[in-house]
Amino acid sequence: MSSLGLYAERSHRIHSRKRLRLTIRWRLREVMARQRMTNKRLAELMGVHPNAISYLRNQDTFPRIGEETFNALCKFLDCTPFDLIEYIPDEEKDLD
C-alpha cells in the first residue's frame, strides 16, 4: 500500500471515532441569587469593578479566571468551587 493509502486509512479511523463533548456550566448567577448578592456588593468585597462581576455573572460556561479570583468568589459567596461549577456531559457526536 502506498504511503498515501496508509494516510487515508489512518485518517478515516481517526475521523470515524465518536467524541464526547464535555461542558462545565458556570453557576455564579444562581449562587449570587441564592445569597442575595449584588454585582456592586461583590465587586466591593473583591476589590474589582462591578463590570468585572457582571461579565463573570453572565457567562454560561466556565470562564477563564485565575486562582485568586476563583478563591475570592468562594470566600465572599461562602460557597465551594463545586457550588459554582456543574459538569454536564453532552451526547456523543460523530466526527464523520
Side-chain angles (χ1 to χ4, degrees):
M1 186 179 285
S2 71
S3 61
L4 183 58
L6 287 173
Y7 175 78
E9 181 182 349
R10 181 172 176 262
S11 177
H12 175 72
R13 281 196 315 256
I14 291 170
H15 293 292
S16 64
R17 295 180 186 153
K18 293 183 182 221
R19 227 166 52 177
L20 187 63
R21 184 172 164 252
L22 308 176
T23 302
I24 305 294
R25 193 167 77 82
W26 183 238
R27 301 183 56 210
L28 180 60
R29 188 178 305 120
E30 292 95 336
V31 173
M32 287 180 67
R34 215 174 30 242
Q35 298 281 343
R36 299 186 193 282
M37 180 73 71
T38 64
N39 288 0
K40 183 178 178 184
R41 179 66 182 140
L42 185 56
E44 289 170 356
L45 291 169
M46 291 179 61
V48 298
H49 195 277
N51 287 350
I53 300 300
S54 179
Y55 171 79
L56 290 175
R57 186 177 180 159
N58 290 321
Q59 300 301 305
D60 291 323
T61 58
F62 189 66
R64 293 180 182 225
I65 58 174
E67 179 182 347
E68 187 176 311
T69 302
F70 201 37
N71 186 47
L73 288 169
C74 291
K75 177 182 176 181
F76 295 118
L77 292 170
D78 191 30
C79 67
T80 69
F82 297 109
D83 293 325
L84 291 172
I85 59 174
E86 179 183 7
Y87 165 75
I88 303 171
D90 285 348
E91 295 180 15
E92 289 184 357
K93 300 189 186 231
D94 284 326
L95 293 176
D96 291 336

